[in-house]
């Protein structure tokens, strides 16, 4: 009888697995959504949306990350410029986007970015703080949703 108890205890100890990677979910089929910076570009003189009045087009805009020289994808939806606010670094960093058209700088946006894997392993949120537009005049539409009106002299 002692033999069977010892055998059962031995098998239970040997069958324990310390591989922590097996506790992580399979993220291969997850499509993650990220925060967007939503900008309505407004003429400082007329108050009109610069996309709706034809002054600017989506095709002529370029958004570049100054720190890496990488271009950032953008999307225009109902006259609002949507720019992904992903973290392009593995750790906390200060990011600056340069928005330009035809090689002419329109304005810069800088923010602090930090990946947050504690809340969601498959889709780490990017914590964004201290969004700044430098000397460019803005109006905050919804700070929690990163929505702003940007007034430009074009």
């Amino acid at each position: 009888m002692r033999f069977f108890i010892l055998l059962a205890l031995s098998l239970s100890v040997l069958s324990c697995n310390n591989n922590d990677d097996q506790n992580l979910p399979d993220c291969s089929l997850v499509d993650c959504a990220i925060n967007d910076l939503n900008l309505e570009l407004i003429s400082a003189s007329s108050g009109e949306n610069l996309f709706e009045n034809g002054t600017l087009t989506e095709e002529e805009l370029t958004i570049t990350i100054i720190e890496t020289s990488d271009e950032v994808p953008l999307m225009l939806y109902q006259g609002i410029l949507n720019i992904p606010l992903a973290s392009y670094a593995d750790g906390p960093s200060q990011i600056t986007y340069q928005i330009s058209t035809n090689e002419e700088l329109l304005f810069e946006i800088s923010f602090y970015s930090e990946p947050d894997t504690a809340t969601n392993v498959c889709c780490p949120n990017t914590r964004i703080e201290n969004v700044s537009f430098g000397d460019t005049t803005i109006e905050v539409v919804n700070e929690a949703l990163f929505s702003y009106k940007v007034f430009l002299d074009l």
Side-chain angles (χ1 to χ4, degrees), residues 94 110-113 127-131 146:
Q94 185 71 26
S110 63
F111 56 90
Y112 174 79
S113 171
R127 192 174 80 216
I128 304 295
E129 296 176 344
N130 303 328
V131 178
F146 305 108

Side-chain angles (χ1 to χ4, degrees), residues 94-152:
Q94 185 71 26
I95 306 284
T96 303
Y97 287 173
Q98 195 171 55
I99 291 86
S100 57
T101 177
N102 300 329
E103 304 304 321
E104 178 186 348
L105 176 64
L106 295 177
F107 61 98
E108 291 182 353
I109 304 168
S110 63
F111 56 90
Y112 174 79
S113 171
E114 182 176 1
D116 179 15
T117 56
T119 56
N120 191 333
V121 175
C122 289
C123 295
N125 296 322
T126 302
R127 192 174 80 216
I128 304 295
E129 296 176 344
N130 303 328
V131 178
S132 170
F133 290 82
D135 293 335
T136 305
T137 303
I138 65 158
E139 177 184 319
V140 177
V141 176
N142 187 328
E143 195 165 25
L145 298 176
F146 305 108
S147 296
Y148 302 90
K149 288 184 180 181
V150 180
F151 297 92
L152 302 173

Side-chain angles (χ1 to χ4, degrees), residues 36-41 49 51 56-58 61-63 73-84 99 106-107 109 146-148 150:
D36 285 343
L37 185 65
N38 302 298
L39 305 177
E40 185 176 3
L41 305 185
N49 182 302
F51 292 108
L56 291 176
T57 63
E58 182 178 1
L61 279 182
T62 304
I63 301 173
L74 59 98
M75 184 181 80
L76 188 65
Y77 180 72
Q78 296 181 346
I80 307 290
L81 183 62
N82 300 309
I83 307 168
I99 291 86
L106 295 177
F107 61 98
I109 304 168
F146 305 108
S147 296
Y148 302 90
V150 180

